[in-house]
Amino acid sequence: PSKGSEPRCQNRRLSSTMLDIAPHLPLSAAVLAAEGEALAAQAEKDLAGILLTGSTRSVRPAVAFLCSLKHKVSAERLARIARLLFAIFKSCAGDIGSENRTASVLADVLKVLNKLPDCPPPAHPARLQLDWHPIYDALMKVQLRGASWEQF
């Protein structure tokens, strides 16, 4: 090394006051559950705002916490989020980009919802039921580039 520079590696001893390992320790299930519920509540507020404004650009970031698989959310709250997404989907009828964006996010949320242990079994009255035909048609419209199954 040159005269004015410090050597690359220095063997310094860190005191216990300089190193905080608490952020690197595993979190308890209760902390993760509380954080998940807080993120889900914020997602509900964001999606309600999207429903009022009509812009679907921030639909996926609103539910991005679900993709990390770190946070567990109750099936009831996730069903409310899915209902909001379905209302957003219905409100943007005719805009193919918005329909596709919202339908793909809704499909991801429904996948997570169906895997939750507290999700009611199929055909149970408390289970979320949505009309799947419009969602399927929106996804196929983009996948088949505007064609429908009847045209094949």
Side-chain angles (χ1 to χ4, degrees):
S2 64
K3 186 176 180 181
S5 67
E6 295 181 14
R8 281 186 171 191
C9 298
Q10 293 181 351
N11 291 328
R12 292 187 199 174
R13 294 189 62 168
L14 297 175
S15 70
S16 61
T17 59
M18 293 178 65
L19 184 62
D20 183 17
I21 64 168
H24 305 290
L25 296 175
L27 297 175
S28 69
V31 171
L32 285 177
E35 188 177 328
E37 287 297 320
L39 287 171
Q42 184 61 43
E44 279 188 80
K45 289 178 188 175
D46 292 346
L47 292 173
I50 289 170
L51 185 59
L52 291 174
T53 61
S55 174
T56 62
R57 291 180 189 253
S58 56
V59 168
R60 185 161 299 277
V63 294
F65 70 96
L66 291 173
C67 299
S68 70
L69 301 177
K70 182 173 81 170
H71 300 98
K72 300 296 181 204
V73 181
S74 68
E76 180 183 333
R77 179 160 317 252
L78 206 52
R80 288 196 306 259
I81 290 173
R83 282 189 198 99
L84 275 170
L85 283 168
F86 190 67
I88 292 169
F89 173 77
K90 289 193 309 186
S91 72
C92 62
D95 182 3
I96 293 177
S98 294
E99 281 182 350
N100 182 48
R101 186 179 306 118
T102 309
S104 65
V105 172
L106 179 57
D108 293 343
V109 168
L110 291 174
K111 285 178 195 174
V112 173
L113 177 64
N114 286 329
K115 292 178 183 177
L116 289 178
D118 61 336
C119 183
H124 192 274
R127 188 169 176 111
L128 174 69
Q129 295 181 4
L130 299 172
D131 185 20
W132 61 270
H133 290 286
I135 303 167
Y136 181 79
D137 290 341
L139 291 172
M140 285 295 111
K141 202 180 299 179
V142 173
Q143 296 295 325
L144 301 174
R145 294 188 169 86
S148 65
W149 286 110
E150 291 85 26
Q151 295 174 345
F152 286 101

